[in-house]
Amino acid sequence: MPSDDALIIDDDDRYSRMRLIAWWDQEKLHSAKVLVVGIGALGNEVAKNLALMGVGHVFGIDLDCVEDSNLTRSVLFREADNGQPKVHAAAKALYDMNRDTTFYPTHGNVMTDVGLGLIRDMDVIIGCLDNREARLWVNRMSWKVGTPWVDGGIQEINGVAKVFVPPDGACYECAMTENDYRLMSLRYSCPLLKREDILEGKVPTAPTIASIIAGLQTQEALKLIHGMKVEDGGAMVFNGIANNFYKTNYQHNPDCLSHHTYGEALKTGLSASDPLEKLFGFAEEKLQSKNVSLNLDRDLVQTIDCVQCNSSEPVYLPTYSVNANRIKCEICGTDRKPNLTHLINSDSGLLSKRIDEVGIPAYDVVCFQTDDKEVFLELDGDRDSLYEKRYRP
Ligand SMILES: [Zn+2]
Ligand SMILES: [Zn+2]
């Protein structure tokens, strides 16, 4: 007869050992939603941990396909996956691992293909990224809609994990230095270079450090899901050579550009494939003005101008969908200059375009302004189809 009731274990329940942890709430995990951004070495370990723990809804986004060199650091990939999108290879492996976990794969870029509605729906975002630009993007999105995020970074056998909780704590950008901004602007000296051409992410790493840092990231996410106290606005730094582990805290910067927090979003019933005109109609009614501005998260190329020829070609496309080879002037051969904007006004002549044609992703939350008011509108018409995109074999 067991001496302690707590040791009676239901062997038919795969979560029975974890339920023995005093604060563990398997039902909470089962209803939790987590977005994993990047399915490389860290993302593989994080997604694996989430599936092992029975987290109910795991969203994954990644742009890349599996290569042989990924196989040494990616528990979810097999040789046969070579050439397949990483999110699809991961989806198969996670399905085999635990069917209690529903995986929603997006083969795309977090900076262009994820709407704020989805970010807001998440309990936590786990960043498994290899560049500042994408981290800064995730940081700003998470602040806008109030979702905590856990960043991770690895190099060789060293690594760092950081927890950020909006709206009051220090954020990723609070900790950015002049040098970080300088390195970023160098890479963006031409705004029309495709991001995938710029981002390299060929940092050498061992699978062991990926396990360690992803383990920390997932544990912090686990605490956030349980509503436990976390030390946010700082970093946990692990030096694998010296086996030295320490924590630092960042200073909250009141001038930080990431701290724009959206108010409550109004449902519009619209989808990103609807005409911009309908969205403007909604905003004009709510703001009671015929002259409103849509404040875009992603710059739009209005025109490409040639100073030599004094000519201007109308474009009106998001920067990421304008090919860099359009820069050269066909007449004089010099490099022209893209003229960017992040505002669309009621009288812009663009309202017959579709919402997604100006770079707004599905299920996004957009911000409309007048001189003294702002309103936040949600493309909730996309929600159901987005959640339908779960992986099924
Ligand atoms: Zn900040
Ligand atoms: Zn020219």
Side-chain angles (χ1 to χ4, degrees):
M1 202 172 137
S3 59
D4 184 347
D5 286 348
L7 292 178
I8 300 173
I9 292 165
D10 175 3
D11 281 328
D12 295 332
D13 173 11
R14 70 187 286 161
Y15 306 109
S16 60
R17 300 297 195 284
M18 296 191 296
R19 288 187 207 273
L20 295 176
I21 299 170
W23 47 266
W24 195 274
D25 186 339
Q26 194 60 45
E27 282 59 47
K28 223 170 216 167
L29 290 173
H30 186 67
S31 59
K33 298 190 182 82
V34 179
L35 170 63
V36 183
V37 187
I39 308 288
L42 279 175
N44 262 258
E45 287 291 315
V46 164
K48 175 261 289 174
N49 289 340
L50 294 171
L52 288 177
M53 298 194 300
V55 169
H57 306 273
V58 178
F59 292 74
I61 179 158
D62 194 289
L63 196 60
D64 294 330
C65 293
V66 178
E67 297 170 23
D68 279 338
S69 65
N70 301 137
L71 297 175
T72 52
R73 284 160 302 149
S74 309
V75 68
L76 304 175
F77 303 157
R78 299 291 175 266
E79 234 174 273
D81 296 324
N82 204 321
Q84 267 206 54
K86 287 181 177 178
V87 279
H88 295 162
K92 264 190 307 180
L94 295 168
Y95 184 82
D96 285 344
M97 198 174 280
N98 188 357
R99 292 185 193 183
D100 293 342
T101 296
T102 304
F103 187 70
Y104 305 78
T106 300
H107 182 213
N109 185 334
V110 70
M111 296 169 77
T112 54
D113 302 324
V114 179
L116 282 169
L118 189 78
I119 299 292
R120 185 204 47 202
D121 287 358
M122 297 298 113
D123 293 283
V124 53
I125 300 164
I126 306 186
C128 301
L129 294 156
D130 56 16
N131 67 86
R132 287 179 189 80
E133 289 82 359
R135 287 189 175 102
L136 183 57
W137 185 264
V138 169
N139 186 64
R140 289 190 176 172
M141 288 206 297
S142 89
W143 241 258
K144 278 176 184 160
V145 294
T147 303
W149 79 285
V150 185
D151 183 29
I154 50 176
Q155 184 161 10
E156 299 182 1
I157 62 167
N158 306 315
V160 56
K162 305 173 184 178
V163 183
F164 300 108
V165 182
D168 299 323
C171 79
Y172 177 79
E173 188 164 10
C174 286
M176 273 178 57
T177 61
E178 298 272 316
N179 196 42
D180 289 323
Y181 287 109
R182 195 182 56 82
L183 290 170
M184 269 177 52
S185 67
L186 275 183
R187 305 224 301 202
Y188 283 93
S189 52
C190 175
L192 295 192
L193 280 181
K194 280 231 169 91
R195 294 190 199 285
E196 48 268 46
D197 296 339
I198 305 171
L199 307 180
E200 285 159 6
K202 303 279 186 227
V203 178
T205 62
T208 42
I209 191 68
S211 305
I212 293 169
I213 296 300
L216 271 176
Q217 287 181 280
T218 321
Q219 284 195 171
E220 292 303 303
L222 183 66
K223 291 191 229 167
L224 286 163
I225 290 166
H226 278 84
M228 293 165 74
K229 196 176 152 30
V230 292
E231 278 186 58
D232 66 300
M236 293 174 275
V237 184
F238 181 72
N239 176 325
I241 298 282
N243 280 338
N244 169 338
F245 181 84
Y246 65 92
K247 296 188 287 184
T248 58
N249 288 307
Y250 298 136
Q251 285 295 318
H252 181 269
N253 173 7
D255 300 323
C256 172
L257 297 172
S258 279
H259 299 177
H260 186 203
T261 301
Y262 282 10
E264 198 190 334
L266 303 172
K267 294 198 189 314
T268 60
L270 295 174
S271 303
S273 56
D274 282 320
L276 211 44
E277 206 170 6
K278 283 193 180 174
L279 189 60
F280 268 79
F282 207 98
E284 287 167 3
E285 196 193 311
K286 290 292 162 197
L287 288 167
Q288 305 207 317
S289 165
K290 279 282 163 207
N291 191 13
V292 300
S293 305
L294 168 57
N295 199 342
L296 296 169
D297 288 330
R298 299 158 187 83
D299 282 344
L300 205 60
V301 181
Q302 298 190 90
T303 53
I304 304 181
D305 306 335
C306 181
V307 188
Q308 292 282 332
C309 308
N310 199 19
S311 69
S312 178
E313 180 197 353
V315 180
Y316 295 107
L317 288 169
T319 43
Y320 59 82
S321 55
V322 180
N323 202 305
N325 59 26
R326 283 181 72 169
I327 280 290
K328 202 168 275 306
C329 177
E330 284 183 8
I331 299 160
C332 71
T334 58
D335 281 351
R336 299 184 297 170
K337 213 176 145 4
N339 171 19
L340 307 179
T341 183
H342 66 275
L343 284 178
I344 299 178
N345 300 319
S346 298
D347 60 0
S348 68
L350 296 178
L351 303 202
S352 60
K353 284 185 181 274
R354 289 198 325 254
I355 295 169
D356 54 7
E357 283 179 299
V358 295
I360 294 172
Y363 196 29
D364 204 12
V365 176
V366 296
C367 173
F368 274 91
Q369 298 168 323
T370 60
D371 288 341
D372 56 350
K373 277 185 285 187
E374 54 182 12
V375 70
F376 305 98
L377 303 182
E378 178 180 338
L379 301 177
D380 53 304
D382 293 316
R383 188 180 191 277
D384 290 350
S385 60
L386 214 138
Y387 277 82
E388 266 304 300
K389 286 182 190 153
R390 62 183 190 271
Y391 174 78
R392 294 178 202 82

